[in-house]
């Protein structure tokens, strides 16, 4: 499957080849007739090139690589699973998780695959975890 950018590139190459062939044929057959044809071909190529450029810049986004959606499962008692980062989590009785870090961390990418927390009070994240407390506060 060709991407939009490669299709636009091949369209541009095709226009250049067609224009060059047209000018060569027109020049060989009749030089006086080639001048008006060159003007028309140049104007048409310019307008088509402008339209292709505007479409490439402002058109709909390419759907060649969809962002994967992770499968997120939390199956244990008090378990937590997240497809991205977790700031702070507390799963124990009376437990409090510390505050998430105050310095901004670089953005983490979401998980590409499954994220599973499968035991009691388990925590799983597809990204960064700031602070977790899974025990009881006595």
């Amino acid at each position: 499957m060709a991407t939009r950018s490669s299709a636009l590139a091949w369209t541009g190459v095709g226009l250049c080849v067609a224009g060059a062939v047209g000018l060569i044929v027109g020049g060989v057959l009749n030089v006086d007739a080639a001048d008006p044809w060159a003007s028309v071909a140049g104007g048409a190529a310019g307008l088509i090139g402008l339209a292709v450029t505007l479409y490439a810049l402002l058109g709909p986004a390419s759907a060649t690589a969809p962002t994967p959606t992770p499968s997120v499962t939390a199956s244990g008692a008090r378990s937590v699973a997240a497809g991205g980062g977790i700031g702070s989590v507390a799963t124990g009785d009376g437990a409090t998780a510390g505050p998430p870090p105050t310095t901004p961390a670089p953005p983490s990418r979401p998980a590409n695959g499954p994220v599973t927390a499968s035991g009691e009070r388990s925590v799983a994240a597809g990204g960064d975890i700031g602070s977790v407390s899974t025990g009881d506060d006595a």
Side-chain angles (χ1 to χ4, degrees), residues 4-125:
R4 182 176 74 173
S5 61
S6 66
L8 293 175
W10 281 111
T11 300
V13 169
L15 285 172
C16 289
V17 169
V21 168
L23 290 176
I24 291 170
V25 169
V28 169
L29 295 179
N30 186 353
V31 176
D32 292 332
D35 185 36
W37 282 106
S39 297
V40 170
L47 287 175
I48 292 171
L50 177 63
V52 168
T53 301
L54 289 175
Y55 179 75
L57 292 175
L58 305 174
S62 176
T64 58
T67 304
T69 304
S71 169
V72 178
T73 306
S75 62
R78 301 181 189 185
S79 63
V80 177
I86 295 176
S88 62
V89 173
T91 62
D93 293 331
T96 57
T102 56
T103 57
S108 62
R109 295 187 308 203
N112 288 333
V115 176
T116 304
S118 62
E120 183 176 341
R121 300 180 191 200
S122 61
V123 177

